[in-house]
Amino acid sequence: MKHICEQQLDEETLFVVSQTFKALSDPTRIRILNYLCGTERSVNDIAEALNLGQSTVSHQLRFLKNLRLVKFRREGTTMYYAHDDEHVIDLLHQAIDHAMHE
């Protein structure tokens, strides 16, 4: 089996990888994903904890949901969100560790 660095990447893989990095290039989305790494949260919880507007949080969650980086469940009228890909959370935390490395 070829090492991943030796593999030719198909167009779909390239697109998904670039979209993942695009998602992680926005500070608000980074904050939201990092906040969701522990447990699921409602839009209101996220907005309050991160001092963001509810519409901003909803917009960013829609973006992340479309990339399948977050998942949701509905309980009555409340939507609860959680991260949907441990690989992306690991990548995010590696980037945070790198940024904080002295």
Side-chain angles (χ1 to χ4, degrees):
M1 182 198 290
K2 281 187 176 182
H3 187 272
I4 198 160
C5 295
E6 298 172 1
Q7 292 179 5
Q8 290 290 336
L9 301 175
D10 60 66
E11 291 300 315
E12 181 179 351
T13 300
L14 288 170
F15 179 75
V16 171
V17 170
S18 69
Q19 290 301 298
T20 300
F21 278 107
K22 180 179 178 180
L24 294 176
S25 72
D26 180 88
T28 300
R29 290 191 289 263
I30 290 170
R31 291 174 68 206
I32 290 170
L33 281 170
N34 189 57
Y35 188 62
L36 291 176
C37 76
T39 187
E40 67 179 11
R41 312 278 184 166
S42 71
V43 174
N44 289 337
D45 291 340
I46 298 166
E48 185 177 313
L50 301 180
N51 198 27
L52 297 168
Q54 189 173 8
S55 63
T56 298
V57 171
S58 293
H59 172 76
Q60 297 300 345
L61 287 169
R62 225 176 354 268
F63 183 91
L64 294 168
K65 185 177 69 158
N66 288 340
L67 292 174
R68 296 187 345 240
L69 300 181
V70 298
K71 59 187 174 184
F72 69 95
R73 72 175 178 85
R74 182 185 305 269
E75 189 174 295
T77 59
T78 304
M79 302 289 280
Y80 291 92
Y81 289 85
H83 72 84
D84 195 23
D85 192 330
E86 196 66 42
H87 296 105
V88 173
I89 295 301
D90 291 344
L91 180 62
L92 173 63
H93 288 161
Q94 286 181 11
I96 291 168
D97 287 346
H98 173 73
M100 297 175 82
H101 182 71
E102 295 184 39

